[in-house]
Amino acid sequence: MTLLSLQNLQKDFGKMRAVDDVSLDIAGNEFFALLGASGSGKTTLLRMLAGFELPSAGRILLDGRDIAQIPPNKRPVNLMFQSYALFPHMSVAKNIAYGLEMEHLPRAEIRSRVGDILETIQLSALANRKPDQLSGGQRQRVALARALVKRPRLLLLDEPLGALDKKLRGDMQLELKRIQADFGITFIVVTHDQEEALVMADRIAILKDGALLQVGTPHDIYEHPTSRFAADFIGVMNFFPVHSDGTILRADDGTQIAAPIPPGLTGAAIAAIRPERLHLDGYASENALTARVTALAYHGLDLQLHVETPLSPRPVILRLTADQAESRAPRPGDTVTLGWSARDTRVFPA
Amino acid sequence: MRDRRPLYLMTPALGWLTAFMVVPCLLILGLAFFRRGLYGGIEYTLTWENIRLVFDPLYAGIFLKSAWIAGLSALIAVVLGYAAAYAIAAMPRRHQPLLLFFAVLPFWSNYLVRTYAWIVLLNREGLIVHLARLLGFEGELPSMLYTETAVVVGLVYNYLPFVILACYAPLSRLNPEVSEASRDLGAGGWTTFRRVVLPMTVPGIATGFTFVFVLSIGNFVTPALLGGGQFQMIGNLVYAQFLTANDWPFGAALSIFLIAIMMGLLTLQTFASEKASGGRNA
């Protein structure tokens, strides 16, 4: 069921168009990610949902009701700020109770709800601490609890894990997903971290220059990017400049590349292939290419191979699993034969 | 071995303070326990008489009166100054320095000139009375000059820039997301101000209040010019003891109590700001 419906939403700051004709439906109980680089309009979009910016045009329907003009303190939507924005003069418990006090709930109910959520985020022992006596990870959980305790229809999270170190970020990605499922609240996360979006979200929207570029599941977005930008933005991608005559793709040096060509695509084009779709058994593949290994990068779980090919001025990256690497790890300077299949190749207009 | 250079760098300032601040204070302290000579000099016999006299209802009353005037001035200055600082901090960032400059501008002119200006404004034939007449106010107007009100007006006016600066600092440092968070959690504008903005800017208010209070309670120029000798504040009393009554020991005793009150307040304010900022480097 659709919970939130954005219809031709637009926001201008003077001559600058921050959000450009965004239409999007988000279902109840969905974990949705708005993914984009800085300046892509994702934070402006979020601030319109929270009520801190008025749309220049378009509608924001929550449960079918247009909330675009409703002030932030009157919408069933809460925002977890990037800076966390905890109240420094209040204890953890007071911070969390604040939003419930604004609803004029009975004291006993406030106390029990604050107690419950402190347990959920495992900070009961620190209820009387002030925010500056907490670690970054603890502050992040307090900010989450403070917004969650209001049981909003929609919880917005602005770069929720941006300030955490890498290890903690990994743990919190799963923790956020678990909390979202437990509470049954729709989450919209703004992030510039594509890995974070892939791990957490049920669906991802890629924003570029204020407009939606692609919306889909993480699998869709990763495996079937619809644009060169999306292909480049998500994960690692190898690109080869090619030329299409409508039926056959050729690289600049004449090598023929087997790939599904989008209908009607002729002229200069770009072929793209993921590092993990390349292998070293080139002779048995639809596409084969002789290449020279220039560098090895060990990543623990896998081994990244940088190889030089006649097809591309940039080094091509190839990912071998630990098993593959153990049985036959090439060394820098070795000549190898790359192979990949036609169906793993994506072709975009140049 | 520890680097001793910082100590050397401190020496000139320490020397200066010792010679011209600590030593005079100690001299004043000592003076308070001697007897006044018959013809104004000092008789070097120890006595508690001067200290006892400070608590005489006549003089204690002047202390209380001064504290009342200073407190009232500080309160009014804080209300006006905080509002002004709030408005400045809410302006676009690039305009703020200029607005602050204008707010502080009067401060760079001479204190006496500024105070005399109020005589021009407040006297029986002054600007304010003329304005009242223009607005159709008939009959005899009470003179505003040489009243308690005039003194408070003068003190507030003179020290307002201090309060604006003191309150502007924490207001401009406030993370706007904190106010937004309060709105997001369901609070209206006034509740957000009362429960979030105000408590977070208490250190500025405390600093502003203490400054105005301390500077006002010992002030003798404004009460003399705008109070017109109608009443004395503690500063005038000290002035008179040293320069007209020639009773240096009693003047010294009064000074000590005045200094003690100021020091107490400043210490209190320091602790209050420390506590309010929760040890943060706010």
Side-chain angles (χ1 to χ4, degrees):
Chain A
M1 223 214 58
T2 302
L3 172 78
L4 179 74
S5 182
L6 309 183
Q7 296 176 351
N8 309 101
L9 204 57
Q10 184 179 312
K11 177 70 187 179
D12 299 322
F13 292 112
K15 281 185 178 156
M16 214 265 295
R17 180 150 296 176
V19 172
D20 188 4
D21 194 29
V22 167
S23 294
L24 188 65
D25 282 344
I26 293 174
N29 214 355
E30 196 170 10
F31 198 126
F32 196 89
L34 291 170
L35 178 62
S38 63
S40 62
K42 56 191 193 302
T43 295
T44 305
L45 187 53
L46 202 71
R47 288 176 62 81
M48 282 196 280
L49 298 182
F52 294 114
E53 304 287 352
L54 286 177
S56 305
R59 304 205 298 165
I60 303 171
L61 302 180
L62 185 71
D63 290 318
R65 191 167 65 110
D66 192 349
I67 59 164
Q69 307 296 325
I70 296 177
N73 51 332
K74 303 245 166 73
R75 347 183 140 186
V77 174
N78 284 109
L79 170 60
M80 184 184 146
F81 289 84
Q82 181 170 13
S83 67
Y84 306 148
L86 297 175
F87 306 128
H89 56 296
M90 296 184 198
S91 67
V92 167
K94 281 271 173 205
N95 261 281
I96 296 173
Y98 188 85
L100 300 177
E101 287 167 10
M102 294 306 133
E103 292 176 32
H104 304 293
L105 296 176
R107 261 161 202 271
E109 188 185 343
I110 294 179
R111 201 169 320 125
S112 85
R113 271 168 75 171
V114 170
D116 287 351
I117 201 135
L118 276 170
E119 225 157 89
T120 308
I121 59 165
Q122 295 163 9
L123 284 182
S124 304
L126 304 182
N128 295 317
R129 293 262 186 100
K130 292 276 178 70
D132 52 292
Q133 296 169 303
L134 303 177
S135 71
Q138 289 164 342
R139 274 205 285 271
Q140 190 256 9
R141 268 144 61 202
V142 175
L144 178 65
R146 188 177 66 174
L148 261 182
V149 79
K150 301 250 311 170
R151 296 177 192 154
R153 295 287 288 145
L154 183 63
L155 183 66
L156 312 169
L157 303 97
D158 191 1
E159 301 278 2
L161 309 178
L164 305 181
D165 62 56
K166 196 171 176 185
K167 180 97 172 69
L168 198 55
R169 206 151 58 212
D171 295 343
M172 278 311 294
Q173 286 171 2
L174 297 177
E175 180 75 4
L176 272 184
K177 218 169 154 49
R178 182 183 68 78
I179 288 173
Q180 190 264 335
D182 284 357
F183 278 75
I185 291 174
T186 305
F187 276 29
I188 299 182
V189 173
V190 151
T191 179
H192 67 277
D193 184 335
Q194 42 97 12
E195 190 188 316
E196 198 169 289
L198 289 176
V199 171
M200 293 194 296
D202 298 322
R203 278 196 308 151
I204 297 171
I206 300 178
L207 276 162
K208 185 182 182 245
D209 302 329
L212 282 183
L213 206 59
Q214 188 175 359
V215 182
T217 63
H219 183 268
D220 276 347
I221 295 236
Y222 187 82
E223 297 292 349
H224 303 284
T226 53
S227 61
R228 185 189 172 176
F229 180 86
D232 198 17
F233 193 59
I234 305 285
V236 181
M237 188 66 99
N238 295 304
F239 291 104
F240 304 114
V242 291
H243 188 88
S244 161
D245 64 4
T247 47
I248 294 172
L249 276 189
R250 282 187 195 284
D252 290 347
D253 70 341
T255 312
Q256 190 174 332
I257 292 176
I261 302 172
L265 178 62
T266 56
I270 291 278
I273 179 82
R274 293 276 180 207
E276 64 274 18
R277 300 287 175 182
L278 289 168
H279 52 77
L280 295 175
D281 307 309
Y283 298 110
S285 306
E286 293 157 285
N287 289 299
L289 202 58
T290 306
R292 202 173 60 87
V293 177
T294 54
L296 291 176
Y298 179 67
H299 285 263
L301 258 183
D302 59 18
L303 185 72
Q304 277 192 11
L305 229 58
H306 289 227
V307 300
E308 242 174 32
T309 69
L311 262 53
S312 155
R314 278 159 66 183
V316 169
I317 297 167
L318 182 136
R319 194 173 288 162
L320 297 181
T321 63
D323 284 350
Q324 290 169 326
E326 214 153 277
S327 59
R328 41 182 281 205
R331 275 193 295 272
D334 286 359
T335 301
V336 295
T337 308
L338 295 184
W340 73 95
S341 60
R343 65 184 164 83
D344 290 334
T345 317
R346 308 279 166 258
V347 183
F348 308 108
Chain B
M1 211 180 89
R2 272 183 53 198
D3 191 352
R4 284 174 185 278
R5 269 172 296 182
L7 281 175
Y8 301 144
L9 288 173
M10 262 163 66
T11 310
L14 273 180
W16 181 275
L17 280 175
T18 308
F20 299 112
M21 176 85 191
V22 179
V23 171
C25 279
L26 288 176
L27 287 178
I28 292 285
L29 184 66
L31 216 51
F33 295 97
F34 291 118
R35 216 177 276 283
R36 180 196 175 197
L38 207 51
Y39 303 103
I42 295 150
E43 196 179 295
Y44 291 96
T45 38
L46 288 172
T47 176
W48 289 101
E49 185 57 26
N50 300 311
I51 305 295
R52 200 194 54 75
L53 203 56
V54 171
F55 290 97
D56 183 280
L58 176 65
Y59 299 115
I62 294 180
F63 259 106
L64 284 178
K65 182 82 172 172
S66 304
W68 159 250
I69 300 258
L72 189 64
S73 305
L75 188 71
I76 295 171
V78 160
V79 171
L80 297 180
Y82 191 90
Y86 190 93
I88 293 175
M91 293 285 180
R93 281 253 164 218
R94 66 205 144 87
H95 295 154
Q96 292 181 15
L98 191 67
L99 289 166
L100 273 183
F101 172 76
F102 283 134
V104 181
L105 197 59
F107 207 66
W108 302 117
S109 66
N110 185 285
Y111 187 100
L112 275 175
V113 173
R114 275 180 288 153
T115 308
Y116 271 114
W118 277 104
I119 297 182
V120 174
L121 288 174
L122 293 176
N123 78 55
R124 211 177 287 275
E125 290 304 318
L127 210 60
I128 291 177
V129 173
H130 276 290
L131 262 177
R133 293 253 162 76
L134 274 180
L135 292 172
F137 200 91
E138 298 289 332
E140 191 65 13
L141 284 160
S143 172
M144 272 187 273
L145 195 58
Y146 309 136
T147 60
E148 197 177 298
T149 313
V151 176
V152 172
V153 165
L155 290 171
V156 168
Y157 167 73
N158 274 311
Y159 297 134
L160 196 56
F162 265 133
V163 183
I164 294 178
L165 285 180
C167 292
Y168 172 79
L171 278 167
S172 68
R173 267 200 308 262
L174 225 54
N175 173 5
E177 285 197 345
V178 174
S179 302
E180 286 182 349
S182 167
R183 303 271 290 149
D184 185 72
L185 292 167
W190 170 245
T191 308
T192 296
F193 175 74
R194 194 172 51 82
R195 293 202 50 186
V196 176
V197 176
L198 195 60
M200 285 178 74
T201 48
V202 157
I205 296 172
T207 306
F209 185 91
T210 314
F211 262 65
V212 179
F213 187 89
V214 164
L215 290 172
S216 296
I217 197 173
N219 194 307
F220 61 93
V221 177
T222 301
L225 293 179
L226 298 179
Q230 298 298 303
F231 64 90
Q232 280 193 310
M233 276 175 67
I234 202 69
N236 307 98
L237 191 56
V238 172
Y239 179 91
Q241 295 311 312
F242 276 98
L243 296 173
T244 49
N246 244 333
D247 190 347
W248 284 34
F250 183 49
L254 288 168
S255 302
I256 287 165
F257 275 90
L258 190 55
I259 292 171
I261 291 172
M262 292 174 176
M263 297 270 274
L265 267 173
L266 286 170
T267 312
L268 214 67
Q269 180 252 327
T270 308
F271 276 115
S273 325
E274 193 83 359
K275 194 165 176 288
S277 66
R280 260 173 305 120
N281 299 321

